[in-house]
Amino acid sequence: MRAPDLAAATTTEALTTELPVGRSTGWWGMVMFVATEATLFSCLLGSYFYLRFQHGGEWPPGGIEQPKLLRPLVMTAILLPSSLPMIWAERGIRRGRRWRLRIGLAATLLLGASFLALQGTEYDELLHEFTITTNAYGSLFFVITGFHGLHVLVGLAMVSWLLAASLRGGSFGARRHDRVRNAAIYWHFVDLVWAAILFTIYLSPRL
Amino acid sequence: MSAQPGPRTRLAGGLLLWYAVLGGAIAWAVHLFVAWGVDELTCAGGSDRIGAVPLRLVVALAVVLPALATAGALLAAAFAWRRTARTRPDGIAEGALGRTRLLALVGLWSNVLFLTIIVLGGVALLVFPPCQR
Amino acid sequence: MSTTTAPAPGASQEDLARLDEHWGERPSIRSWFSTVDHKRIGRRYLVTASLFFVLAGISALAMRTQLARPESNLLSPQEYNQLFTMHGTAMIFLFSTPMLFGFGNYLVPLMIGSRDMAFPKLNALGYWVFLFAGLFMWASLPFGAAPNAGWFAYVPLTDDVNTPGLHMDVYALGLLFLGIATTAGSINFIVTALKLRAPGMSLNRVPLFVWAIVVTAFMVIFALPALNLDNAMLFLDRRFDTHFFDPDAAGNVLLWQHLFWIFGHPDVYIIVMPALGIVSAVLPAFTRRGVVGYVLVVLAIVSIAIISFGVWVHHMFATGLPHLSYSFFSAASTVITIPSGIQIFAWLATMVLGRLVVRVPLLFLIGFIVTFVLGGFTGAMFALTAFDQQVTDSYFVVAHFHYVLIGGAVFPILAAIYYWLPKITGRMYHEGLGRWAFALVFTGMQVTFFPMHLYGLFGMPRRVYTYRSEPGWDVWNLVSTIGSYVLAAGLLLVLIGVVHAIRRGRPAPPDPWGGDTLEWATDSPPKPYNFPVLPQVHSLHPTWDEASRASMGDDATADRTLTDGRRTLLTSELDGRRERVVEMPEASLQPLLLALALLVFFTALLFAWYPVALAALLAGAVTIAVWLWPPRRPEEELGVVS
Ligand code: HEM
Ligand SMILES: [Cu+2]
């Protein structure tokens, strides 16, 4: 920051600026929920690294192959951008544009569902090689990705529920969109967690 | 002086206060996580170098940088506290002023605590070789 | 002076009638199940947690009776294992935290001048889940299937080979179930305290009790996931043959310990912190002044909470860390004693500078300080590694943590019961009875647990169902057992005192103690809407300051009376500036339904009826979908353009 700005930012007026301010109770509730869920995922991914480094030897252990990269990258390319229509929909309903809400939600729904379908095909292939009971790596792999998949499913349930409510009419508008925003926060969170999982499970063994 | 600051200046001021309050805590968390994680993992791998860099240096960085960040937060907190304790411009609600002063004071003392913790960890670095068990 | 209504309400008779119409609940069976009133829910938390305390206490008495003499065979080893595990688990999870959350539930909205919690229905859900989870765990005891491997359930002892049967499945599922209640309650406390404070209550005017509850809630948010994950992995390992903790298949048993103590260390503070908040709330009334060093106490609360996350490794001396990484943690363990000390000195200074009014709540506070400081002293002895390795897993440890937990949680809770009884029931307790109860509880506590230090040092291990006669062991064990009966008698007197107050007590005035926080500025017990006129707060001690009091009386305004609907005020997060009026939800059966669905879900998981579990989950999802379904509104009100 330039010097004059710094001087201005340290006046009493600036320092007493209230930040954060004006959020709704629902917003705070969702943020706190996401915070506790994020901690849960950190512990889960932390456990992955803990077991991996304590194991010491080759990883994945027990002759399991390195996870293939192509499909997870495609899944990433589907899931991460699925936040965009959600943002577009939310901005739309803030200005009272119901059609944008409907189209945006439908697009997100489609992308999320394709992600899950791809994950299904991945499981289908991998389960021939190893399962949740093969060893700790198998347990970690399927519990981490499965738990995230469950979150995607919950997110999709939220999105379909919003879509159903918005198709009925009389639900959302420029002055009533708390639920849209809260579901959006959850959805963005689920996306971000996937990025962390991609790094942990698929990329980090290659480092 | 009484010109109302613009929204960006206000944002900067608000963020500066939060840095003063939470800077030490966050710096300490980073310090603990990085210093412990790096030390533990490298030693478990049976070496005291990371690539070409000696482990000791990396851990030292994980002590010094957070310590500097905490010291910065400490200064910011002291500054914010003096500002709000001395000046009383009108047009600021008493609640807002008192609240800022409380946060600045809490930040001041907590940064002292966190700086102490980080520095104590740094002293250990002078005493123990990084991988001694 | 001893009228039973608040002084000169600033609301007219019509206002009061309309408030009653919107907030009042006609007593009926349905309203009993559907209520969302934080005061009724808070009372239920208190009663239910006390019930679990009695069950855990009876388990303790059974253990002490068994240990009174060497080689007695009242209890089999299997029974003893289940009793000490259920005792520890219930005291930690089903009594301490829920009891303190019960006080929080009842008091936080009153102290911040609001009409309810931020999410009243979620609050009701939290209570039902807590009740069902507690019953779920206790119900296993009569069938001999209760958890039996100690309250921290170390693997590999707890895996399906070493502990077959349902025991540890009950533990893992029960705690996961309970976790839902604790998390929901914590989120509710945080949001309530951020958004529902009365106008004018900026952060520097928030009562210390509210600070303590909110900071505890933050700790729950960040600590509980570690325990939940741990229990989920344990259940998966036991039931579905995963290998998280199995060293033969690339797993690791230490993972359990790490995750458990990432939760467990902050949990000690999660238990003690709200109790310390009680101390700061009760002291002003009996010293006739505010707690000395408000800012420092806030600092202590916040910094203890943060640092407590960085010390978990000290529970695992035996795991062979490099010295250097260990010292990063021990630096934190050392420094955390500073803020703890600050709090104690702030209270002592308050007592020295104030004018002491010796009533039962103050007696319990003094009992707390003495006991807690002794516990802290023995805790400091563990910091010497050599000593720690000498006494680990001996009765010395049992003595230490009972001093900390009974001193740090039970005594403040007892003080709180006497202090807020007039507010909650509208009746005064009998002072003489209360003093006798204090004398018995305090003596009983010391006589039970002090000798444990001795026979712990003489080498008696913990968690043994009996022992051979050894010099020094027999006598002191008998003393401990006698002490535990004295303690039980004291607790019984507390119960008799409460029942007596409800049945026979004098009616309590709104403010029997001259307290400083807002709950004393309204009726005893408060009306369903808490405050006829929401206060405008001008200081840290609103009930002691004229302007704040007048805001509810002569200076009342319609925009703080809010009589058309179930309404309360939202204010800004830091400065407590007025933002807008919000509508609060009506009573509803949905929370109970959802909790029942969860109960079916967890029971079905326990007995491996997986299709039933799935059906229960779907029923739960449908309940949530209906619960949150947006109400239909006209387009103009929504603001729809196209
Ligand atoms: C009311 C009087 C109490 C008595 C007479 C009592 C007595 C006992 C006894 C005899 C044991 C078993 C020792 C062993 O065999 O190793 C025990 C363990 C324990 N108690 Fe208490 N206790 C009391 C209150 C409490 C309270 C209030 C708490 C917590 C808030 C508590 C927490 C624990 C814990 C965590 C354990 C360890 C269980 C384990 O080893 O897994 N107790 N207590
Ligand atoms: Cu600890």
Side-chain angles (χ1 to χ4, degrees):
Chain A
M1 200 185 296
R2 281 169 293 125
D5 283 354
L6 190 63
T10 52
T11 57
T12 314
E13 284 89 348
L15 285 173
T16 51
T17 307
E18 202 174 356
L19 192 82
V21 74
R23 310 287 177 172
S24 67
T25 50
W27 186 88
W28 279 109
M30 184 50 93
V31 166
M32 286 298 135
F33 178 66
V34 163
T36 184
E37 287 254 275
T39 317
L40 188 61
F41 273 105
S42 319
C43 291
L44 196 52
L45 298 183
S47 304
Y48 174 93
F49 284 112
Y50 182 80
L51 290 184
R52 173 171 159 193
F53 287 117
Q54 290 293 322
H55 176 65
E58 48 156 359
W59 191 264
I64 297 173
E65 273 176 46
Q66 291 279 332
K68 293 194 195 61
L69 265 188
L70 180 63
R71 191 174 355 220
L73 286 179
V74 175
M75 283 159 72
T76 313
I78 290 176
L79 193 62
L80 292 192
S82 75
S83 270
L84 296 176
M86 194 77 187
I87 295 174
W88 182 74
E90 194 199 328
R91 296 227 171 128
I93 194 64
R94 275 197 213 178
R95 290 186 218 128
R97 309 246 149 76
R98 217 152 48 189
W99 62 273
R100 269 177 66 173
L101 178 66
R102 290 171 184 163
I103 294 177
L105 288 176
T108 306
L109 197 62
L110 209 66
L111 290 170
S114 347
F115 173 88
L116 278 189
L118 276 177
Q119 192 166 40
T121 63
E122 186 190 26
Y123 276 19
D124 195 38
E125 234 167 67
L126 284 180
L127 282 174
H128 295 300
E129 193 189 347
F130 64 99
T131 68
I132 195 165
T133 60
T134 307
N135 56 25
Y137 176 81
S139 311
L140 282 167
F141 181 90
F142 285 109
V143 167
I144 292 176
T145 53
F147 191 54
H148 175 264
L150 199 67
H151 277 72
V152 176
L153 196 67
V154 171
L156 288 180
M158 288 187 187
V159 172
S160 340
W161 176 89
L162 284 177
L163 192 59
S166 80
L167 285 175
R168 174 190 66 161
S171 301
F172 305 115
R175 279 186 286 279
R176 301 273 165 179
H177 50 256
D178 248 27
R179 286 173 175 77
V180 180
R181 184 157 62 159
N182 293 339
I185 295 174
Y186 186 80
W187 188 258
H188 301 325
F189 163 70
V190 171
D191 279 5
L192 278 181
V193 169
W194 174 253
I197 290 176
L198 178 77
F199 172 78
T200 306
I201 296 220
Y202 296 97
L203 299 180
S204 79
R206 291 166 193 267
L207 291 182
Chain B
M1 257 309 273
S2 64
Q4 282 299 312
R8 299 203 45 196
T9 325
R10 288 191 152 273
L11 180 68
L15 287 177
L16 185 69
L17 185 69
W18 278 117
Y19 168 59
V21 180
L22 292 179
I26 294 169
W28 168 69
V30 171
H31 150 78
L32 189 67
F33 208 69
V34 175
W36 166 63
V38 168
D39 191 53
E40 186 89 4
L41 291 181
T42 319
C43 294
S47 131
D48 57 0
R49 309 182 79 78
I50 302 175
V53 194
L55 176 59
R56 208 187 187 109
L57 184 67
V58 180
V59 179
L61 278 182
V63 171
V64 172
L65 293 181
L68 287 179
T70 309
L74 181 61
L75 286 180
F79 179 81
W81 178 64
R82 284 181 46 154
R83 261 292 150 83
T84 45
R86 296 243 171 112
T87 56
R88 286 220 50 172
D90 33 60
I92 297 183
E94 205 193 322
L97 202 63
R99 178 271 297 176
T100 312
R101 204 176 305 150
L102 172 88
L103 287 179
L105 258 183
V106 168
L108 190 70
W109 290 112
S110 74
N111 286 326
V112 171
L113 285 182
F114 288 115
L115 194 59
T116 317
I117 304 183
I118 300 177
V119 168
L120 282 180
V123 172
L125 186 63
L126 300 178
V127 179
F128 298 120
C131 287
Q132 186 195 341
R133 304 233 167 210
Chain C
M1 218 344 260
S2 63
T3 50
T4 40
T5 48
S12 65
Q13 285 307 318
E14 301 94 84
D15 286 345
L16 293 181
R18 294 175 68 182
L19 282 171
D20 246 341
E21 177 195 326
H22 291 302
W23 290 87
E25 288 175 333
R26 252 161 261 103
S28 69
I29 297 200
R30 188 193 161 89
S31 102
W32 203 87
F33 287 112
S34 68
T35 185
V36 294
D37 180 343
H38 75 96
K39 296 181 290 302
R40 289 180 84 178
I41 296 173
R43 275 195 326 247
R44 286 174 188 184
Y45 261 105
L46 296 178
V47 172
T48 311
S50 304
L51 173 76
F52 294 144
F53 179 72
V54 170
L55 292 179
I58 292 174
S59 312
L61 279 186
M63 290 189 287
R64 278 316 325 164
T65 311
Q66 157 80 5
L67 293 174
R69 310 290 318 144
E71 298 185 63
S72 85
N73 42 23
L74 240 56
L75 296 172
S76 69
Q78 289 77 16
E79 283 162 350
Y80 190 89
N81 286 350
Q82 298 186 25
L83 283 179
F84 81 69
T85 305
M86 276 311 285
H87 165 78
T89 311
M91 284 293 188
I92 299 276
F93 295 103
L94 298 175
F95 161 66
S96 310
T97 299
M99 188 83 185
L100 293 160
F101 271 27
F103 281 111
N105 239 302
Y106 195 95
L107 293 167
V108 165
L110 287 169
M111 283 188 171
I112 63 175
S114 157
R115 281 186 176 150
D116 208 323
M117 298 280 279
F119 307 115
K121 284 163 84 175
L122 186 67
N123 206 20
L125 173 72
Y127 169 72
W128 293 119
V129 170
F130 157 57
L131 173 69
F132 293 159
L135 294 178
F136 177 90
M137 295 186 79
W138 277 110
S140 63
L141 193 60
F143 298 100
N148 58 355
W151 80 281
F152 43 69
Y154 277 2
V155 286
L157 177 61
T158 47
D159 66 20
D160 50 343
V161 180
N162 292 312
T163 309
L166 289 182
H167 309 274
M168 294 319 291
D169 298 327
V170 173
Y171 176 92
L173 292 175
L175 291 186
L176 281 170
F177 191 12
L178 180 68
I180 299 173
T182 318
T183 307
S186 300
I187 293 179
N188 217 341
F189 281 129
I190 294 174
V191 181
T192 305
L194 279 174
K195 292 304 297 184
L196 268 67
R197 304 198 306 274
M201 189 180 276
S202 47
L203 283 192
N204 54 323
R205 293 174 185 158
V206 173
L208 288 170
F209 179 75
V210 179
W211 273 104
I213 288 279
V214 171
V215 168
T216 307
F218 269 105
M219 291 170 75
V220 169
I221 296 281
F222 292 112
L224 202 55
L227 179 71
N228 287 339
L229 176 63
D230 227 9
N231 277 316
M233 286 175 169
L234 179 63
F235 182 70
L236 287 173
D237 264 18
R238 290 175 56 85
R239 187 63 70 77
F240 296 104
D241 293 329
T242 56
H243 298 283
F244 294 107
F245 305 127
D246 176 5
D248 294 333
N252 196 314
V253 289
L254 284 182
L255 179 62
W256 168 273
Q257 299 194 26
H258 273 293
L259 286 172
F260 190 89
W261 289 113
I262 287 177
F263 157 79
H265 193 86
D267 190 53
V268 176
Y269 294 93
I270 288 174
I271 292 172
V272 171
M273 183 83 77
L276 304 188
I278 289 178
V279 178
S280 298
V282 175
L283 260 190
F286 298 98
T287 53
R288 312 307 311 147
R289 57 159 298 138
V291 172
V292 171
Y294 171 81
V295 177
L296 287 177
V297 178
V298 173
L299 164 83
I301 293 174
V302 175
S303 55
I304 288 175
I306 298 175
I307 301 175
S308 71
F309 280 85
V311 294
W312 86 90
V313 174
H314 75 192
H315 289 271
M316 289 169 299
F317 276 98
T319 54
L321 296 179
H323 278 306
L324 182 60
S325 20
Y326 188 72
S327 49
F328 296 131
F329 291 97
S330 53
S333 307
T334 315
V335 170
I336 199 170
T337 55
I338 298 175
S340 317
I342 290 179
Q343 281 208 57
I344 301 265
F345 282 110
W347 295 322
L348 289 179
T350 314
M351 291 203 201
V352 170
L353 297 177
R355 193 158 44 79
L356 289 189
V357 183
V358 184
R359 303 290 300 267
V360 177
L362 187 71
L363 289 177
F364 277 107
L365 289 194
I366 295 171
F368 146 75
I369 294 189
V370 172
T371 314
F372 191 63
V373 167
L374 280 173
F377 181 71
T378 47
M381 291 165 75
F382 293 128
L384 307 168
T385 316
F387 182 76
D388 182 71
Q389 276 166 0
Q390 187 63 39
V391 296
T392 290
D393 285 335
S394 81
Y395 258 91
F396 192 89
V397 180
V398 180
H400 158 69
F401 65 70
H402 281 91
Y403 267 79
V404 171
L405 291 171
I406 296 187
V410 177
F411 277 113
I413 286 172
L414 291 173
I417 290 178
Y418 283 99
Y419 182 63
W420 279 297
L421 195 69
K423 182 53 59 183
I424 296 176
T425 64
R427 302 285 169 159
M428 295 303 287
Y429 64 84
H430 188 286
E431 184 75 19
L433 217 53
R435 287 181 188 225
W436 270 104
F438 168 73
L440 287 180
V441 170
F442 186 78
T443 326
M445 150 79 208
Q446 308 298 334
V447 175
T448 311
F449 294 102
F450 193 81
M452 289 190 185
H453 292 112
L454 303 178
Y455 49 87
L457 285 176
F458 300 153
M460 176 157 166
R462 66 190 283 203
R463 295 177 173 173
V464 288
Y465 85 106
T466 192
Y467 53 94
R468 287 264 175 77
S469 175
E470 296 258 354
W473 290 21
D474 304 12
V475 181
W476 288 120
N477 265 297
L478 186 60
V479 173
S480 270
T481 302
I482 295 172
S484 64
Y485 278 93
V486 176
L487 177 52
L491 292 168
L492 193 65
L493 264 194
V494 174
L495 183 66
I496 293 176
V498 171
V499 174
H500 177 269
I502 295 175
R503 289 273 172 83
R504 302 267 167 79
R506 277 186 296 117
D511 186 6
W513 311 118
D516 65 331
T517 34
L518 281 170
E519 79 271 27
W520 303 112
T522 187
D523 292 348
S524 300
K527 294 275 186 301
Y529 42 86
N530 289 357
F531 299 91
V533 181
L534 294 175
Q536 170 82 41
V537 174
H538 295 273
S539 75
L540 177 57
H541 309 289
T543 309
W544 289 351
D545 111 72
E546 265 320 304
S548 307
R549 286 182 75 88
S551 74
M552 291 174 274
D554 296 341
D555 299 350
T557 52
D559 65 351
R560 282 186 285 108
T561 313
L562 307 174
T563 54
D564 38 343
R566 268 172 97 92
R567 299 184 150 196
T568 193
L569 267 181
L570 285 196
T571 52
S572 69
E573 284 83 349
L574 305 181
D575 293 349
R577 279 182 291 107
R578 181 192 176 92
E579 273 174 0
R580 60 198 164 88
V581 177
V582 282
E583 200 75 29
M584 300 300 271
E586 306 270 339
S588 154
L589 286 174
Q590 288 154 0
L592 178 60
L593 284 181
L594 183 51
L596 279 173
L598 287 169
L599 176 62
V600 174
F601 172 72
F602 281 100
T603 314
L605 273 191
L606 181 68
F607 293 116
W609 308 327
Y610 301 117
V612 181
L614 194 66
L617 215 53
L618 286 178
V622 171
T623 315
I624 298 178
V626 175
W627 173 337
L628 292 173
W629 190 247
R632 215 180 246 279
R633 288 198 167 81
E635 309 243 308
E636 317 78 73
E637 191 195 324
L638 292 169
V640 175
V641 179
S642 58

